Amino acid sequence: MNLYPVFIPPPALTVYQRLPKCNLHSHLEGSIRPQTFLELALMQNIPLPFDPTHVEKYFQVTGEEQNLTDYLHKIMVNYLILKDREALRRAAFEAAEDAHFDGVVYFELRAGPVNHVTSSFSVADCIESMLTGLQQAEAKYGIICRLILSGLRDHRPDANLDLARLAVRYADQGVVGFDLAGNENGFPAALHRAAFHSLRDSGLGITVHAGEAAGWKSVYYAVIEIGAQRIGHGVRSIESHEMMNILRDYQVLLEICPTSNVHTGTFPDIQTHPVKTLHDFGIPISIGDDDPITSRTRVSNELTLLEGTFGFTLEDIIAIQLTSLKHSFLRESDLKTRLRQEIDAYRP
Ligand SMILES: [Zn+2]
């Protein structure tokens, strides 16, 4: 009988975990560790809406989801605990920490603060708490973190206008962009034109979730009418050759999150995902994890998937990181140069 504990060496990091990476598309609300949810619920005296012994299945994709609503419900359960300074700080810190452990060196986290306000916790409190968490991760790990504020399509236009104005106010404190997320069908981006107008000359980047649930015309509107420099997903641009030409000619980057697109039913499986076609056409792309806890994925995992499914080479993947950095909303050119050198140094 062996009385000594067996030492199991940790698995070696894969090539894509070691590669310095840029993640431009990741939501705070899909990044809450289940254990953190339980601890924050306890701290806030929030009764659990489920059996805590099977906590993961309430947060994460299990394969039993029938539709997008089921998927979104797993994200929205986190709204219950994202209600005070400590919760928002910790959630942002841990999202950046998890990204760091996956080898991400530049991280743009996004969140919809309006969903988290209470009578004693304002939108500004929420933004400041997340910025504190990101700054703490940056100080501890060296990962460069920036914040994108997401307006929601089904929120009131004046709420999104107020949020855009707050984004401008926090532009020199780590907020680098404004996003529009949520239900594409029934809530066109045109409703929120005023919010985007208010960002003109602010120096903030504009990205819009489009071409995921709705078709290519939603992408067209975001690019041509709103002036989005990047599109969240945008994968249904594949339905229009004209749209693909526009994205390539204007060099509008698509923030592609392959696993998420399968989980939300945009494509039935990874084999039918158009990421390779869009990339080979000359459209700039980045690869994000969208909702890493919900979808049980990481950027390195997505890159491994691209290699295994579509034959992307390490050279292709490094080029995608450099493209992502170029299209990032990071303002400081010295930091961009340093990150570019760090990624470049990984070339075989
Ligand atoms: Zn997203």
Side-chain angles (χ1 to χ4, degrees):
M1 193 169 114
N2 184 0
L3 296 176
Y4 298 97
V6 178
F7 173 71
I8 303 172
L13 294 178
T14 68
V15 63
Y16 294 123
Q17 285 171 323
R18 292 198 309 271
L19 171 70
K21 295 176 288 296
C22 301
N23 186 356
L24 305 185
H25 195 120
S26 203
H27 293 263
L28 176 96
E29 292 86 352
S31 303
I32 312 297
R33 298 172 188 163
Q35 186 60 33
T36 297
F37 181 97
L38 293 177
E39 289 173 20
L40 288 171
L42 195 64
M43 285 167 64
Q44 297 173 11
N45 285 321
I46 294 172
L48 292 179
F50 46 71
D51 173 2
T53 53
H54 300 290
V55 61
E56 288 84 0
K57 80 175 197 179
Y58 292 92
F59 291 87
Q60 300 186 294
V61 168
T62 60
E64 294 166 5
E65 297 73 22
Q66 300 295 313
N67 48 42
L68 179 60
T69 309
D70 289 350
Y71 182 83
L72 291 178
H73 184 76
K74 297 200 165 181
I75 295 171
M76 288 164 68
V77 71
N78 289 304
Y79 291 7
L80 287 170
I81 50 95
L82 291 172
K83 293 292 178 197
D84 66 21
R85 279 188 174 270
E86 172 55 15
L88 271 293
R89 181 208 64 77
R90 179 170 170 181
F93 174 83
E94 290 181 355
E97 184 173 59
D98 288 345
H100 163 73
F101 289 140
D102 190 48
V104 171
V105 292
Y106 178 69
F107 185 45
E108 285 180 7
L109 181 69
R110 64 185 70 195
V114 176
N115 286 317
H116 311 310
V117 295
T118 68
S119 57
S120 57
F121 187 58
S122 68
V123 175
D125 291 336
C126 181
I127 296 168
E128 288 172 15
S129 307
M130 291 189 286
L131 288 173
T132 299
L134 293 179
Q135 285 153 8
Q136 288 171 341
E138 199 165 305
K140 184 168 182 182
Y141 297 113
I143 180 174
I144 306 297
C145 301
R146 295 293 183 267
L147 184 63
I148 295 172
L149 301 183
S150 297
L152 272 292
R153 285 175 181 265
D154 57 353
H155 282 182
R156 294 192 331 272
D158 59 338
N160 283 333
L161 176 59
D162 289 345
L163 184 64
R165 287 176 174 151
L166 273 177
V168 176
R169 201 210 293 174
Y170 286 93
D172 59 352
Q173 295 172 52
V175 173
V176 292
F178 190 80
D179 167 42
L180 191 61
N183 188 356
E184 260 185 281
N185 291 313
F187 298 94
L191 291 171
H192 307 290
R193 199 184 282 117
F196 289 101
H197 264 272
S198 75
L199 297 168
R200 284 197 176 157
D201 307 320
S202 70
L204 289 175
I206 293 177
T207 178
V208 174
H209 278 74
E212 181 188 18
W216 66 271
K217 285 182 182 168
S218 178
V219 180
Y220 183 89
Y221 187 87
V223 173
I224 300 300
E225 297 294 329
I226 287 182
Q229 298 129 327
R230 298 185 346 213
I231 297 293
H233 304 294
V235 283
R236 288 185 60 188
S237 303
I238 198 75
E239 295 167 2
S240 161
H241 198 74
E242 184 198 352
M243 191 65 240
M244 288 170 66
N245 279 333
I246 290 170
L247 294 171
R248 183 188 57 195
D249 295 348
Y250 286 79
Q251 287 290 288
V252 176
L253 178 132
L254 300 184
E255 306 158 356
I256 295 181
C257 308
T259 294
S260 167
N261 291 155
V262 174
H263 285 169
T264 57
T266 307
F267 301 103
D269 50 46
I270 195 67
Q271 286 76 19
T272 51
H273 197 286
V275 57
K276 178 83 167 124
T277 310
L278 294 165
H279 172 263
D280 290 352
F281 192 74
I283 297 168
I285 66 166
S286 70
I287 300 297
D289 52 16
D290 209 10
D291 300 295
I293 296 287
T294 319
S295 279
R296 300 174 190 265
T297 192
R298 291 285 159 200
V299 177
S300 64
N301 186 51
E302 298 296 301
L303 299 178
T304 304
L305 206 56
L306 294 194
E307 181 193 63
T309 312
F310 302 105
F312 278 82
T313 65
L314 178 59
E315 194 69 24
D316 293 333
I317 301 278
I318 291 173
I320 288 171
Q321 303 316 309
L322 292 169
T323 299
S324 305
L325 183 63
K326 182 179 166 193
H327 290 259
S328 75
F329 296 150
L330 181 65
R331 292 172 169 196
E332 299 92 323
S333 56
D334 54 333
L335 274 180
K336 261 193 176 175
T337 303
R338 198 192 83 198
L339 289 166
R340 191 181 312 117
Q341 289 167 346
E342 199 175 333
I343 297 166
D344 253 333
Y346 203 80
R347 284 184 192 281

